[in-house]
Amino acid sequence: MLLDDKVVIITGAGSGVGRATAELFAREGAHVVAADIRDDWAKDTQRRIESSGGACAAIHCDVTSEPDLEAAIRHAVDAHGRLDVMVNNAGIASPGIGMQLEDHDDADWERLMNVNLRGVFYGCKHSIKQFKHQGHGVIVNTGSAAGMVGWGGVPYGVSKAGVIQMTRGLAIEVASLGIRVNCICPGAIDTNFATPPDRAFQPKPPEARELLGALHPLGRPIEAEDCARAALYLASDLSSNVTGIALPVDGGYLAR
Ligand SMILES: NC(=O)c1ccc[n+]([C@@H]2O[C@H](COP(=O)([O-])OP(=O)(O)OC[C@H]3O[C@@H](n4cnc5c(N)ncnc54)[C@H](O)[C@@H]3O)[C@@H](O)[C@H]2O)c1
C-alpha cells in the first residue's frame, strides 16, 4: 500500500479526476477527505469508497473561499492529528467550447482565475502552514497540458500556467523543509468538465471518444484513472526525490 495511513485532502473529489484519485488513494490505504462544492457528489464519492472498504469523509468546500479550505484542513487535522498530502484538483473549464479570447467577459475571467488559480493558492497556503508545523507534507496540484502550450480557451490556459508556476515557485520555497510540491498536467479527459452544470454527465459516445483520442499521439482519450495513477506517484514515496515538476499525463501530446 503506497499511502498506508496517510491523511489526504482532495479538492474536486466529487467527480472525474478528483473522484478517481480519491478512490485509488483509498485503495492504497489513505484516509481521504473528499472536498467539493457539490455536497451530493462528494457524498457519493464517500459512499463508493466506504462500500469497497476504504476510509473517506465528504466535506463541503468551495475552493474560492479561504475559510472553506482552512476548515477542510482543520477537519483532517482534528480527525487524524495531521495532514500528509494536499491534492489541489478542483477546476472549471472555459464556459464554452471553442470560445475565443474576445468572447470572454470579466465574469468568465474572474470565475476561471478564482476557482483554478486562487483555489490552488488557498490550498497551498494553508496546507503549507500545517506542513511546516508538523515537519512534513506533499502537495499535488492539477495543472493542464493547456497551461504549457497554446490549446485554445486562453483564460483557462492562463489559469493553468499559473498553477504550474505556483507549483515550481513554491517547490523551491519549501524544498529545504523536505516538503514536496508537484503537479500533473493532463491532456483531454472524458469527465464532467465540459458538461454544462444543468446537465447530467454522460460519457462521450464512441465516435466522440475517438476524436478526443486522436488529439493524443497514443491515440486514446486520457482517463481520470491515468491522472489518478500519476497523482499517486507524486503523492507517495515513489517520488521522494522529485519536486517542482509538471508531469504531463497526455498520451504524448506535449512531445509533438
Ligand atoms: N477534463 C479535462 O479534459 C482536463 C484536462 C486537463 C486538466 N483538467 C483539470 O483536472 C481537474 C479536474 O477536472 P475534471 O476533468 O475531473 O472535471 P470534473 O468537472 O469532472 O470535476 C471537477 C470537480 O471540481 C468540483 N468543483 C468545481 N468548482 C469547485 C469549487 N469552487 N470548489 C470545490 N470544488 C469545485 C466540481 O464539483 C467537480 O466535482 C481540473 O483542475 C481541470 O482543470 C481537466
Side-chain angles (χ1 to χ4, degrees):
M1 297 253 244
L2 288 171
L3 295 176
D4 194 21
D5 206 30
K6 299 286 187 200
V7 182
V8 180
I9 296 175
I10 302 171
T11 67
S15 170
V17 173
R19 172 173 286 173
T21 304
E23 292 187 335
L24 177 60
F25 281 23
R27 282 201 300 280
E28 291 294 334
H31 304 278
V32 174
V33 176
D36 205 288
I37 196 168
R38 287 282 306 253
D39 295 346
D40 49 344
W41 292 1
K43 282 258 179 264
D44 203 34
T45 298
Q46 176 179 343
R47 265 193 300 275
R48 289 164 64 117
I49 289 175
E50 285 178 343
S51 68
S52 35
C56 181
I59 185 167
H60 177 83
C61 175
D62 175 353
V63 296
T64 68
S65 154
E66 192 164 16
D68 274 15
L69 269 159
E70 287 181 274
I73 291 168
R74 215 168 30 246
H75 176 94
V77 174
D78 286 351
H80 303 284
R82 65 187 195 285
L83 172 67
D84 297 304
V85 181
M86 181 79 200
V87 181
N88 294 302
N89 163 78
I92 56 170
S94 287
I97 292 168
M99 274 175 77
Q100 307 281 298
L101 182 67
E102 69 261 29
D103 301 329
H104 290 82
D105 58 21
D106 277 13
D108 298 335
W109 178 269
E110 269 163 33
R111 211 167 24 247
L112 281 163
M113 296 307 154
N114 273 338
V115 178
N116 292 359
L117 194 49
R118 190 189 297 269
V120 177
F121 162 57
Y122 289 152
C124 286
K125 175 177 168 183
H126 291 288
S127 58
I128 286 290
K129 279 189 190 171
Q130 176 61 28
F131 293 164
K132 284 184 172 171
H133 174 69
Q134 65 193 27
H136 73 275
V138 177
I139 292 176
V140 182
N141 295 325
T142 303
S144 171
M148 300 177 93
V149 290
W151 187 319
V154 172
Y156 174 78
V158 170
S159 72
K160 290 298 181 175
V163 171
I164 294 166
Q165 194 52 21
M166 187 152 17
T167 301
R168 292 179 175 140
L170 184 58
I172 298 308
E173 204 171 284
V174 297
S176 64
L177 305 172
I179 298 169
R180 299 188 299 109
V181 188
N182 292 293
C183 69
I184 59 166
C185 289
I189 324 165
D190 187 11
T191 61
N192 262 319
F193 196 55
T195 310
D198 55 338
R199 269 192 251 149
F201 171 66
Q202 295 288 342
K204 290 193 175 42
E207 52 289 3
R209 280 182 59 82
E210 218 168 283
L211 285 177
L212 201 61
L215 288 173
H216 310 100
L218 284 178
R220 57 185 176 86
I222 308 304
E223 307 295 344
E225 290 72 19
D226 296 325
C227 299
R229 285 191 293 275
L232 175 62
Y233 166 68
L234 293 174
S236 71
D237 286 346
L238 287 179
S239 62
S240 62
N241 209 3
V242 174
T243 198
I245 70 161
L247 176 62
V249 187
D250 68 345
Y253 183 90
L254 291 167
R256 276 186 212 268

